[in-house]
Amino acid sequence: MSSSIFTPARPLRVAVIGSGPSGIYAAEALIKQSQVPAEVDVFDRLPTPYGLVRYGVAPDHLKIKSVTTLFQKVLSDTRVRFLGNVELGKDLSVDDLRAHYDAVIYTVGASSDRRLRVPGEDLTGSLSATEFVAWYNGHPDAAARTMLLHAAGAAVVGAGNVALDVSRILAKTAGELHTSDIAAHALAALEHSQVKDVYLLARRGPLQAKFTTKELREFGELEGADVVVLPEEIAVSDEDYAAITDNVVRRNVDVLREFAAKPLAGKPRRVHLRFLVSPAALLEGAAGHVGGIKLEKNRLDEEGNAVGTGEFETLDVQMVLRSVGYQGVALPGVPFDDKRGVIPNTAGRVEGRSGEYTSGWIKRGPSGVIGTNKADSVETVNTLLADLGTLTPAPGSSREAIDALLAAREVDVVTLSDHLTLEAHELAGGQAAGRPRLKVAERGAMFEVIRSGR
Ligand code: NAP
């Protein structure tokens, strides 16, 4: 089959599953190329587009979220449609997609989290950063969760940017949070938070930390919290410092040294950035609740891996958030590599499948910033374009046919226009409250707003 079968009257029709950054960048790459006329339907199981930009990026990092202006431009192109509230495996199957599209790109990200695998991990008060982030960002799946913030001590396990995000949100004052787009239920709860000490626990040293300097520096600017760094835990010899080749790592060490040297100002909260410690166990307090965390001190072996020293200490914490990485989840009917948590692929082409592709975290694993997904999706689209001659066109494929199928299944599809109604509502609510936005978190409430605009 030659690529010339796709014409302006019968363009290449692609379904993108997931409207986060990698999905939007894939749609953009498809409409920007000039090899073949293309039409893209971008699906999402949620009623809102943009995935982790809406539900992952920290609420006080509003600048990062401005990328949605570009994303909205992509979804507004006449060749692109947004079909929200449509779930693969529930409302549509892979067979349905193959019957209606010439190609499918899976861009569903990594929605689950990794575990610590230590005793006590399932005690009340121990949860994943993913759950906590979903809660404060107003994710509909987490809207009803009650977060117990009576803890005086909170431990955040991990040394990536997500660990910094959750530690910072726990340490910020209500006034600081007010200027963010944090969900109203989370703002109300955090206003009454009893947290005094937040411990970020890195299992390795400052040279191995995954976080970036800009995010680390923000701890020096907190209104209501001092930063505590133990000089002995960030010790780097002159020789090792001179050997650092990565600028981010060097700047991280510089900032940590500044923090360690700075006298405490006596602010009401403290963020302790701890290194070379691993949780050995979460200790049970009253009524099945976390009552402490037992840490083992580590040293680094020659490969830079953390090795326990047999020396332990206990921290007085009542809340533990594990922030040790996201984890991809298998899609029904799509090949999956359980060990790596990704869809097995070569340059985006799903292994063993023709016409099926993948991009983003579910393709390469949960790493990189939003922009990383642009190059990743361009690679996938280039792979798809190189395969054009081998694609089997879906007979009878059209927008009308997929719309009719979803209507017959009584799926209440959310369009871009619906999304813009919700967006306008949230921004107007924000303006009235003197906040950047008032997020609607609960699904039913979202649909109430959406229907009012139809
Ligand atoms: P990450 O950067 O991969 O960090 C995961 C951290 O967990 C690492 O420090 C890792 O330490 C640690 N870890 C893993 N298993 C552990 C265990 N069993 N015990 C103790 N520590 C353990 O992941 P992330 O923080 O979830 O972030 C995901 C991606 O999103 C990253 O690329 C990140 O930069 C990006 N992101 C960016 C921003 C931003 O730009 N502002 C914000 C949020 C997220 P080891 O190195 O020792 O394995």
PDB file of all heavy atoms in Angstrom, residues 64 67 243 274:
ATOM      1  N   ILE A  64       5.429  27.235  34.230  1.00  0.00           N
ATOM      2  CA  ILE A  64       5.591  25.979  33.475  1.00  0.00           C
ATOM      3  C   ILE A  64       4.274  25.631  32.778  1.00  0.00           C
ATOM      4  O   ILE A  64       4.247  25.102  31.677  1.00  0.00           O
ATOM      5  CB  ILE A  64       6.033  24.832  34.415  1.00  0.00           C
ATOM      6  CG1 ILE A  64       7.394  25.162  35.042  1.00  0.00           C
ATOM      7  CG2 ILE A  64       6.094  23.496  33.686  1.00  0.00           C
ATOM      8  CD1 ILE A  64       7.960  24.097  35.963  1.00  0.00           C
ATOM      9  N   VAL A  67       2.632  26.562  29.007  1.00  0.00           N
ATOM     10  CA  VAL A  67       2.772  25.754  27.785  1.00  0.00           C
ATOM     11  C   VAL A  67       1.390  25.354  27.234  1.00  0.00           C
ATOM     12  O   VAL A  67       1.232  25.016  26.066  1.00  0.00           O
ATOM     13  CB  VAL A  67       3.665  24.509  28.057  1.00  0.00           C
ATOM     14  CG1 VAL A  67       2.964  23.490  28.934  1.00  0.00           C
ATOM     15  CG2 VAL A  67       4.125  23.851  26.766  1.00  0.00           C
ATOM     16  N   ALA A 243      36.073  17.242  39.790  1.00  0.00           N
ATOM     17  CA  ALA A 243      35.800  16.237  38.750  1.00  0.00           C
ATOM     18  C   ALA A 243      34.348  16.279  38.248  1.00  0.00           C
ATOM     19  O   ALA A 243      33.985  15.552  37.323  1.00  0.00           O
ATOM     20  CB  ALA A 243      36.124  14.842  39.294  1.00  0.00           C
ATOM     21  N   ARG A 274      18.065  15.701  53.814  1.00  0.00           N
ATOM     22  CA  ARG A 274      18.955  14.671  54.354  1.00  0.00           C
ATOM     23  C   ARG A 274      19.505  13.795  53.233  1.00  0.00           C
ATOM     24  O   ARG A 274      18.791  13.475  52.287  1.00  0.00           O
ATOM     25  CB  ARG A 274      18.182  13.804  55.362  1.00  0.00           C
ATOM     26  CG  ARG A 274      17.631  14.539  56.581  1.00  0.00           C
ATOM     27  CD  ARG A 274      18.731  14.902  57.574  1.00  0.00           C
ATOM     28  NE  ARG A 274      19.621  13.796  57.849  1.00  0.00           N
ATOM     29  CZ  ARG A 274      19.478  12.929  58.855  1.00  0.00           C
ATOM     30  NH1 ARG A 274      18.483  13.085  59.710  1.00  0.00           N
ATOM     31  NH2 ARG A 274      20.348  11.942  59.029  1.00  0.00           N
TER      32      ARG A 274
END
